[in-house]
Amino acid sequence: MQIQDLPYPDPGVPDARSGPRFLWWLFRKQLGGQLKSLSWGLLHFASVAALPFCVGVAVQAVVDRSGTRLALAGGLLALACVGNAVGDTFLHRTAITNWITAAARVQQLLARKTAHLGSALTRRVAAGEVVAVSTGDVEKIGWFVEALSRFTAAVVTVVLVCIGLLVYQPALGVVVAVGLPALALAVLPLLPRATRRADTQREKAGRATELASDTVAGLRVLRGIGGEELFLDRYRSASQEVRHAAVRSARMWSLISAIQVLLPGLLLIAVVWYGVGLAREGRITVGELVTVYSSVMVLTYPLRHFEEIAMAYSFSRPSAKRAAGVLSLQRPTDTAGSRAAEVPSGDLYDPETGLLVPAGLLTAVVCGDPDAAGLLAERLGGHPSHEGTSVLLGGVPLDELPLDSARTAVLVQDKDPVLLSGTLRELLDVPASGAVAPREALAAAQCDDVLAALVQGSLDAADPMDARITERGRSLSGGQRQRLALARSLVTDPEALVLDEPTSAVDSHTEARIAQGVRELREGRTTVVFTSSPLLLDRADRVVFLHDGEALAVGAHRELVRTEPRYRAVVTRETDDEAALNSSVALKDVLQELEEIEEKA
């Protein structure tokens, strides 16, 4: 896989049982790229390691006044330099390719999991955590995957050079063969502490990211209640904690780096001191001493990769653990599409609450608990965030359908719909039946003023469909965003449409027109509206009142207001005193009617 071939046609099924298993799965999925990187790394490091040998042969040739060997040394030196340049160039190219493709694979997996779980994801994982995993964590995971092949090439090179020095000059080769592994293993006792500090830094950074994400998402509300400064102070405090944790982590890694510089220097001193003694005794030549000394000096370069792989693993392990945690999430009631792909039609029925939505009618659902209403809306869409009995559409359990089929059959618009940045044409370019044109949906959602505002805010867009919408529609008011989201839902024209509080942010006059527009546009289609607005309830074909998780009453809005006190309390927002007064008045009316009946009798 090359960068130009991204995205992957299929990123695969990850092993998300743990962080290390996920890293190993990533490595295996990119085995071809890893082998390429390893090959170029071996060429690069072998060429670097061959330079001291070429220099030693040249020095000894000068000492022996041998022009032939000097020319041979020059040719070998040129060949090593070419191998070094070619190997380094292509090692960097393949390593970066491995890094980017690994990060892209993880991002695709996260995007697929997000689409699969839907709104259940943010109920189980904080939105800021998802953002942190899909941005910073994927970079660290890609870093480890990329560094692993270079580390392997460095290890092979160090082992081969040690063996070569033992054969070339056994006396000094023993010192080097013992000293180099000691250098590589010297920092191992410090790695657990460095890893713990890196984990602490990442946890604090994740919490700060979550706080920032939640603050930005609720900025409009925070400004309205004067809580902006409070949350800003909280983020400042969290940011300072991240800074202190980063400084503590950097101190430990700087100590490891210092050791990686100090110990090779001590080994060089030992080699030179011992080698000079051997040269004085005539046991080795000057060229051999230069070769061994240069080899030790050059091998400090591949040894630096031991430190890098330790850092990469320390930072990527918690990142991989968090990514695996998100990727291991499953829909609570997912049968992986045990039924064939189909789009059923008919009545929509929830066995858990007894809610029945007849096909082709506009049904309004009144629930005193907004959270319970949101959970029921999710369940009607076939992807609840909690385990439970499956909703039936035309007698077919939605949880047994493939996810695409279930979402084609039932579309759920929650109370906080998201608008992506782009043009209005792109916003309304969604999978649809084609029976509803964008202009019709916009008209039904009463978006005329929204279109005018978009044109006015876009200097180069005469057609409202070409006007750009900013990220999450922040340039629009809450009611305008809500109406655009409603128009997008109407364009799809699903078999069953579930709307959760679709007009909570609009005024009563606009709400009345939206109610009429939705009723006319969805004529003959199954529509469910969760609302307590009398304007919407009065235009519904039937109203279902839910109380304590059960469908308590069914009927027309005006009938339920007159006969069901609990329904009336939710719709009219009666206080307890008002409800008691209305109940006493109703009781008096009933007693008076009984007295009149007795008198007539």
Side-chain angles (χ1 to χ4, degrees), residues 37 41 45 70 84 94 104 171 198 311 340 343 362 378 385 473 507 511 542 555 596:
S37 184
F45 289 123
L70 183 60
N84 181 21
T94 55
M311 291 182 64
V343 180
L362 173 60
E378 286 184 354
S385 57
D507 60 82
E511 186 176 32
R542 63 199 304 270
E596 292 176 355

Side-chain angles (χ1 to χ4, degrees), residues 213-286:
S213 175
D214 295 341
T215 301
V216 171
L219 190 57
R220 185 184 297 271
V221 178
L222 291 175
R223 286 175 175 170
I225 63 176
E228 185 178 1
E229 288 297 326
L230 174 62
F231 275 79
L232 183 59
D233 290 339
R234 288 184 180 180
Y235 179 73
R236 284 179 180 142
S237 177
S239 178
Q240 289 302 311
E241 290 182 6
V242 175
R243 184 178 68 84
H244 291 309
V247 170
R248 293 186 72 249
S249 178
R251 286 174 180 169
M252 182 56 63
W253 288 111
S254 63
L255 176 60
I256 293 174
S257 298
I259 293 175
Q260 290 286 306
V261 173
L262 175 63
L263 294 184
L266 295 177
L267 179 60
L268 280 174
I269 293 174
V271 168
V272 172
W273 178 78
Y274 184 55
V276 168
L278 294 177
R280 285 179 177 177
E281 296 174 4
R283 297 170 58 184
I284 64 173
T285 64
V286 175

Side-chain angles (χ1 to χ4, degrees), residues 47-120:
S47 300
V48 171
L51 293 176
F53 174 75
C54 299
V55 172
V57 172
V59 170
Q60 191 61 41
V62 172
V63 172
D64 297 339
R65 299 180 180 278
S66 174
T68 303
R69 279 188 293 163
L70 183 60
L72 176 62
L76 292 176
L77 188 62
L79 184 62
C81 290
V82 172
N84 181 21
V86 173
D88 190 24
T89 299
F90 284 95
L91 171 62
H92 179 77
R93 180 184 179 89
T94 55
I96 295 300
T97 299
N98 289 336
W99 187 338
I100 294 177
T101 52
R105 186 187 295 273
V106 178
Q107 286 181 324
Q108 280 189 245
L109 291 171
L110 291 171
R112 186 174 67 179
K113 179 60 66 174
T114 301
H116 180 74
L117 293 176
S119 59

Side-chain angles (χ1 to χ4, degrees), residues 364-389:
V365 180
V366 177
C367 183
D369 184 358
D371 293 334
L375 293 176
L376 177 57
E378 286 184 354
R379 198 159 59 248
L380 291 178
H383 43 88
S385 57
H386 304 286
E387 292 186 2
T389 307

